[in-house]
Amino acid sequence: MAREKIRIKKINNTTARQVTFSKRCRGLFKKAEELPILCDVDVALIIFSFTGKLFECSSSRYVTASIHLKQPN
C-alpha cells in the first residue's frame, strides 16, 4: 500500500510544528551525511528554526570553516 501525499502548508499548532521540524530536520541531516559518502561530494546544510536557532552540518572541515567565517556577530 502506497503512502498518501500530504498537502504542504504551514502548521498552525506550535507543538505540532516543532515536532514536524525536529523529525524533518533529522531526516535532512541524515541525507546530508549520506550524500558525500555515496557521491564523493562536499555538502553543507544550514537551517534556522522558527525560533532563530542555528543548525548546521558539513561534510568537510573546509566547508565548516567558511560557514563560521561568514556568520554575523
Side-chain angles (χ1 to χ4, degrees):
M1 180 179 246
R3 285 184 161 186
E4 256 186 66
K5 283 200 168 220
I6 61 167
R7 204 173 126 208
I8 302 295
K9 62 179 180 167
K10 182 179 177 181
I11 300 170
N12 293 323
N13 182 313
T14 308
T15 305
R17 185 183 325 138
Q18 179 61 42
V19 169
T20 301
F21 174 80
S22 296
K23 289 180 180 180
R24 288 183 176 249
C25 195
R26 262 184 304 208
L28 277 173
F29 278 103
K30 185 177 178 185
K31 295 291 183 186
E33 290 173 1
E34 293 172 351
L35 194 59
I37 296 167
L38 295 171
C39 302
D40 193 29
V41 296
D42 287 331
V43 172
L45 179 63
I46 302 171
I47 300 173
F48 290 97
S49 71
F50 60 93
T51 60
K53 186 174 178 183
L54 171 68
F55 297 87
E56 62 180 282
C57 169
S58 70
S59 63
S60 164
R61 62 187 173 99
Y62 302 112
V63 175
T64 303
S66 67
I67 289 170
H68 289 289
L69 287 174
K70 293 179 181 176
Q71 189 175 22
N73 292 335

